[in-house]
Each structure stands twice: as structure tokens, then as C-alpha cells.
Amino acid sequence: MSLASETGKTGLVEGYHPLDVQTLPRYLGAIGTCAEKLGGGPDGWQVDEVGDGNLNLVFIVRGPSGSLVVKQALPYVRLVGESWPLPLKRAFFEQEALVTQIACVPERLPAVYHYDHEMALTVMEHLTPHIILRKGLIAGIRYPKFAEHIAEFMAQTLFRTSDLHLPAAEKKRRIALFCDNTELCRITEDLVFTDPYRIAELNRWTSPQLDGMAAAFRADAALKREAQVLKEMFMNRAEAMIHGDLHSGSIMVTQSETRVIDPEFAFYGPRGFDIGAVIGNLFLAYFAQPGHADATDDRQEYAAWILDQIELIWKTFQTRFLQLWEQEGHGDIYVAELFNDAEGAAVLADHRKACMQQLLQESLGFAGVKMVRRILGLAHVEDLESIEDPDLRAACETRALLLGRALIVNHRSYDTVTAVRHSAEKLQGGGEA
Amino acid sequence: MSLASETGKTGLVEGYHPLDVQTLPRYLGAIGTCAEKLGGGPDGWQVDEVGDGNLNLVFIVRGPSGSLVVKQALPYVRLVGESWPLPLKRAFFEQEALVTQIACVPERLPAVYHYDHEMALTVMEHLTPHIILRKGLIAGIRYPKFAEHIAEFMAQTLFRTSDLHLPAAEKKRRIALFCDNTELCRITEDLVFTDPYRIAELNRWTSPQLDGMAAAFRADAALKREAQVLKEMFMNRAEAMIHGDLHSGSIMVTQSETRVIDPEFAFYGPRGFDIGAVIGNLFLAYFAQPGHADATDDRQEYAAWILDQIELIWKTFQTRFLQLWEQEGHGDIYVAELFNDAEGAAVLADHRKACMQQLLQESLGFAGVKMVRRILGLAHVEDLESIEDPDLRAACETRALLLGRALIVNHRSYDTVTAVRHSAEKLQGGGEA
């Protein structure tokens, strides 16, 4: 697979052209596995463009025998337009990440049917009746298996792609590969860690209600320092292959099922960034709940369920990650042979716990920046955007911003995820952070 | 420049053959710049093989007009033999690193006259009358400019190749390039961080005097834990392009001059590894001094001079690195625009100091592992090896091991380099660590 023929900022490859509902059936008809899955012929296939993300085309294609999803990269940021070019090679990194994640924990990913490098296009399993977790959280639906499933996904991927498990040379080969996903990393570097803390053209927020808070954040040197400390971690720490965009819009759920999608931001980075994305987005959902209350449901119980999930995710992640490390820690750090007597085992067990503590703290810091950027930056979340009353929305957002700030500035001070839960509850109850 | 034609563990390229004193003149005669530099013709050039390192062939070639040095990689570890293959591509990484270092601080490197990828060979300036710093330290010679020069070399290279100065995409391109230097990194991973702490075939030490200490180190779980914490940093932290082997055998000096050579271990790693290599090797030289005392010189004043240099190197490095960060910190972390008011400037200045403090502590940890590996591992240093009386040598080595252990286990507790100096003096004076 050569990327050498790509040119310019968009990485346009000869042969690339974006498909649409008219041209897609003929394209799929030429691919045996896809045609077979759909059944019948291209003329009988129903195609819907459903992309509601920020970057790509997404089609659902239905035939007499079955359905599938086609995801194709566009050479620009869909949310912004052609003025913001973005390389098509991100489809390659998404495919690489997906294959790796499937190797780690197949039951939590969609199956992949076809990948076309020239067309920057992947054909994959149509997850149905799954819905995007974020929409479920807005609708107030409980997902009893979600916490366990997402914790397992993170434990498996963040363990198996790291020096705790991989030989050093294999890990370095993978770091090098993903270094070239630099344009997608750059989006995160700017939009998550920097822009919300300065005047930037694409920033927006609920105005005028949050004008003062936005200005206060831009003037908050201690906050900006810690946001940049987290950015340094994001840019310097090649710990594991991370999903890179693991918010509640990248997770699809049913009552019994959980699947992770859209890993195009994947690269070798700090583990805490994925964990923080999950936790931060759940806190956003939590603070949005008063905005979704109605006469029949004040959403208080549901909000508490969300906080339960945050605790459960961390605890399950920690348990599973430590089990994997103990049972399959054959990598090139914390070399097992060095700790194979009783004292060694005890010291290593202590160290693993200390690592988990540090990872929790870093994850909370990343959760904080992920929350703030969704309220003061370019890309917002439907949890809050769907609250129509701007005063009510601003009140929810203010509480979320206060927790986000506390997580960023004080992330090294939290000992437990329960302590953060209490901070969130106190804010929601109207108390001070 | 393609590395694709290389095959197997040694990375042998078609066209590669090791040169010797007979074949080298004809080779150089065909390279205009080299022939011109030497003057006359190949038959009149004097060639001496002088490689005393562990990995390569090194020749000095003298002609009527001038002289030059030829360094050629061998497809195995010279110190061990053909049973330990090592890829020739290390010459490529050495060349890449050398060019980068020259761009940062040209006056501290040898000039490069020619690079031949197929032959894994570099022709460079013959540094004369420079000698290897280690030999000067054994001979008890003071180098009044050395501390300032090596501090400047480290400040320039460790700043200019990092996210503090480079755009993110450029840094990622360079990380990816050096990821392929994995076999050389592996040598460090094994020989520095792991083998001295386990039974390994190639380990050796002054026996039987140090048998007990070696066994105690292998059983010391707290020590092994911290050595592996440092190894994790070495493998995960892509902070800057580091030299990777900056001991006193990689530095050539005169009374007024300092040059750094042999960067074949270069890759993107933690800054503290280079600083620790310099400091650790100076401490080894310090503890070796009683072994070089004679009737005319007890070496006490010279030993104190070495400790002065350690303090001076750290202080000068810190000052210069902070100056560079303040004046040229245009990179993608700690984005200048975020801190351009009075409070921001104060907070950023505080943070820079905190970074320096953390870097000192990490450097001391790395200094510790660099010391221990030179006494209990495969590759030893002439500072100690040249002490003929084994009891005297073992006494020197024991003190060095005790400081090394303290640096590894307690590196997060040291506030100043002066505090470490006092620990060293106490050990040398016969006190406890």
C-alpha cells in the first residue's frame, strides 16, 4: 500500500471521486462480497446518505438479502467546507486502526467487507438496530452492557498495542505508520487544546450568556498552562494506539450490544486521551439532562445512572487492564523475568496500581479539555445543542464548564473517580465547584 | 535514499564491503572532495585503523595536504563479533542525526565531507589535536570550555528538535524516520535498562569483589522497578532527537574546543537520557579518580573539578534551554499567543522552571542507569577498567554503584544538582549513601 502517489494538502489520489446515491450501486455491484451481501442487482438497492459527522460521506445501502454501510472520505472538512482541505489518507489510517482494534477485541467493532485505497472508502457492517450512544443518552435510554463493553474495548486496545504487550520493534513500526496521520492529530491539537483558550474565528458558544465565561477561560493562565501540559502529553507520549476521537458519537449501542466506529484520528498517543473522551462526553450528557427534563421525567434518576456508568467504566477498565498486564504482559517494559520472586511480584503489583492512579488522573485532565472544547470551541455536541431554551442550555453548559475547568486544573489531585462524581453532583445541585 | 533494498538482520546492501587499510585509499581517491583534502595521490596516503569503539571501523587517513576520518559500519557488533548482527542502516541514522545536530550547533560537531549509503560509510573532519574526553579525564586534564560547550550542544539539539520549536508535522516526520533505528534502541533497552538487573550471559564485573553487590542489585525489586520506569520513558517519550549515546567516549576535546561524535543511537526520546549520559559518565570519572592517584597527585582537586563541571553543565544547560524557549519557542506546545499578558508570562515562566526541575530529576535517574550498566553490564569504561588493582577498582566501583542506585531509586527526590554532588562527596569520603 503506497501513499506516495498522493499529492497536495488533500492527498487526492488519481482515480478518486466522491460517490453519491446514484453512482454508489454500480460501484458496489462490481465488488463480489458486497453484491452478494446485498442480493439482487444494483438497480434494486436503496441508498441513503446519512453522514451526520463532521468529515465524511456515509451511506446505508439496502438490498433484498441484507444491508451495509459505505464510508468515504472527502478531501475537506465537511463541517467547514472546501476551504479546509483534509487528506484522504485518513481513510487508510482508519482502516489500519480498525483492523488493529478488530484483532484486539473483534466483538466491539463493525465487520469490514471491503477497503478501497484509491477511493478512500470502506464498506462495513450495517449496525442495526444500533443507534449512536449520544442519541440514546439524549433520549434517556439505559444501556446495561455499555459500561462493561467500552471498558473492555479500551483495556484491550490500550494494552495490546503498547510496550506492555508488543515487542519494541513492532511497536515502533506502528508508531512510524501513524506519525503520518499528522493532519488529523493537528485538528485535535488546535481544536481541543488551544482554540477554546484564545480568540479563534471558528469558536462559538451560547451568547451572550457564556460571553463572560468564555472571556474568563481565555484569561485564565493556570487553566491554559494545564491545557498545554495535556497537549504536550498528547504530542509526546507514544504509549498505545489510541482511537483518538472516542466520544459518544463514535459508539453505537443496543440494549445488549456496543460497537466502536470512526477511528480515523487514531495514532500512538497517551492512553488517557481515549478514557478521557468517554468520561468527558458522559459528563456532558450528565450536565445536559436538566435540559431534557419534561413533565413525566425530571431526568434525575437517569442523570445518576450516567454517573454510575462513569464509575463503572473506570473500575471495569482498571480491573481488566490489570488482568491483561498480569496475564499477558510479555512486552519489553516491566520485563516479567525481573519480578518473578515474591518481593518482585509485590513491588510490581504496587507499581501497576500507581500506574492506574496516574492514568486516572491524566484521563480526568483529558476529559476536562474534551468538555470545554465542546462548549467554547468549533464542534459542539447534540446533548447540549438540542436544548432549545438558551438560558437553560447556558446554565447546563456553565456547570459542565466548571467541572471541565476543575478537571483540567486539578487533575493530579483526584484520587478516585467517585470524588469527581461528587464534584459533578455538587455542581448540578447548584453548589460551587 | 531507499532502505528497501536492505535484507536480513544485518541490512546488508548490495555493493557493501568493509574497507581496510589497503583498499581505503583507492576508494577515497575516487571521491573528489576527499582526494583534494588529502592532496597528492592514494599511494602516498597513510591509513591507520583506530576504532576503539564497540561497533565500527574507524580510519584516520593522512595525505600531504591534510587528513580525514573514515567511519564505516560493520554488519555486526564489533565488541562481540559476527554472532551479534547489527544493521548497516545505523550509518544512515548517524548521518541524519549529524546533519540535524550540525544545523542546530555547527561549531560542536565534526564537518562531514562525504556519505556513502551503500557502503554505510561517512568521511568526516579529522579532529586534531582533540582527544576523547574520557582519556583526558583519566589523565587528569582540565578542559576549561567543556562544560559550557556540552551544555550548549544539549540545549540547542534538545530544544530545536522538539515541539517547543518545530511544527508538529515536521517533528512527526522525524519521529517516523528514527523509529526504524529500532535495533540500536534495542541495544540500549537491553544493556542499560534490563541486563544489569538480571543474570545475562554478557554481564561481567570485578569478581569476586562485586559478586555480592551484583547479586543484591539483581534482587532489589525497588531498584528494578525504577529502572523499568526509566525504560518506559526511554521507549514512550518522543520529546526531542537525542544523541542516544552521549558518554565521555563520544566527546572530543582540546583546551579550547569540544566536539560531539558518534550519534548512531539517535532517535526521538526523552531529553534527560542525553543529559544523564553526560552526568553519569562524569560521576564514573569522579569515582575512578582514587584509582589514578599517584605519589605526585592524589587527584582530590581534580575530582572536585569534575564535580564542579557537573554542576556547571546543568546550570548552563538550564539557562541556555530557558533562553531558547523564551526567545524561539514558536512550536506547537505552550503556544506563545496563550501567554502574552503579564499573568500568562508569569505562569509560563513558573511552568518552565517546573519543567527544568522535572528534567533534572529524570536526567539524574538516567545518569544512575548509565553508571550501573558500566560496572555490572556488558560494556565497561576505561576510567574504571584501567585501574589495575582489582581491590582498588572494586572500591571505586562500589561507590559509583551506590550513587547510581540512589539516583535511580530517588531521582524524584533531588531538588538540585548540588544535592547530588554532596551525596557523591559523602560516598567518596567513605560515608554511607
Side-chain angles (χ1 to χ4, degrees), chain A residues 71-253:
Chain A
K71 179 171 178 180
Q72 184 177 29
L74 287 167
Y76 52 83
V77 178
R78 186 175 182 169
L79 176 69
V80 178
E82 301 197 16
S83 63
W84 187 339
L86 198 65
L88 295 171
K89 67 183 175 187
R90 67 185 189 274
F92 168 76
F93 295 112
E94 175 162 358
Q95 168 71 7
E96 283 289 318
L98 195 47
V99 167
T100 301
Q101 292 164 345
I102 288 172
C104 293
V105 53
E107 61 278 18
R108 301 278 73 86
L109 285 305
V112 176
Y113 302 140
H114 182 71
Y115 170 64
D116 182 334
H117 183 64
E118 275 188 8
M119 290 288 277
L121 178 154
T122 304
V123 186
M124 64 188 98
E125 184 181 357
H126 176 207
L127 299 172
T128 178
H130 304 64
I131 66 164
I132 291 289
L133 173 63
R134 194 185 298 288
K135 292 187 186 294
L137 295 170
I138 293 167
I141 303 169
R142 288 167 171 78
Y143 296 97
K145 304 298 283 180
F146 158 66
E148 182 194 320
H149 286 166
I150 199 69
E152 179 75 13
F153 170 83
M154 294 193 293
Q156 291 282 354
T157 57
L158 300 178
F159 172 76
R160 290 189 189 284
T161 61
S162 81
D163 283 314
L164 296 173
H165 188 67
L166 286 183
E170 171 61 13
K171 184 185 166 224
K172 279 186 190 278
R173 195 187 64 73
R174 299 193 60 80
I175 292 174
L177 182 82
F178 282 101
C179 272
D180 194 32
N181 201 13
T182 178
E183 293 85 355
L184 278 275
C185 288
R186 179 67 192 227
I187 292 177
T188 304
E189 288 153 22
D190 287 344
L191 297 193
V192 175
F193 295 102
T194 305
D195 284 354
Y197 308 96
R198 65 177 170 188
I199 291 174
E201 204 186 336
L202 297 170
N203 285 345
R204 62 189 181 86
W205 54 80
T206 302
S207 181
Q209 289 86 344
L210 296 187
D211 289 0
M213 195 118 178
F217 273 42
R218 289 197 304 273
D220 188 335
L223 175 63
K224 290 185 285 188
R225 166 185 167 161
E226 289 304 324
Q228 292 288 304
V229 166
L230 291 159
K231 185 180 188 181
E232 183 172 23
M233 252 185 246
F234 182 80
M235 296 176 75
N236 279 204
R237 290 255 213 99
E239 292 173 357
M241 190 194 80
I242 66 173
H243 178 284
D245 196 28
L246 196 53
H247 57 75
S248 44
S250 297
I251 300 169
M252 300 196 70
V253 287

Side-chain angles (χ1 to χ4, degrees), chain B residues 188-189 191-194 197 227-228 230-231 234 273 366 369:
Chain B
T188 304
E189 288 154 21
L191 297 192
V192 175
F193 294 103
T194 304
Y197 307 97
Q228 292 288 305
L230 291 159
K231 185 181 188 181
F234 183 80
F273 191 75
F366 286 121
V369 291

Side-chain angles (χ1 to χ4, degrees), chain B residues 245-261:
Chain B
D245 196 29
L246 196 52
H247 56 75
S248 44
S250 298
I251 301 167
M252 300 197 70
V253 286
T254 67
Q255 286 299 304
S256 59
E257 265 260 287
T258 309
R259 309 280 190 111
V260 173
I261 60 170

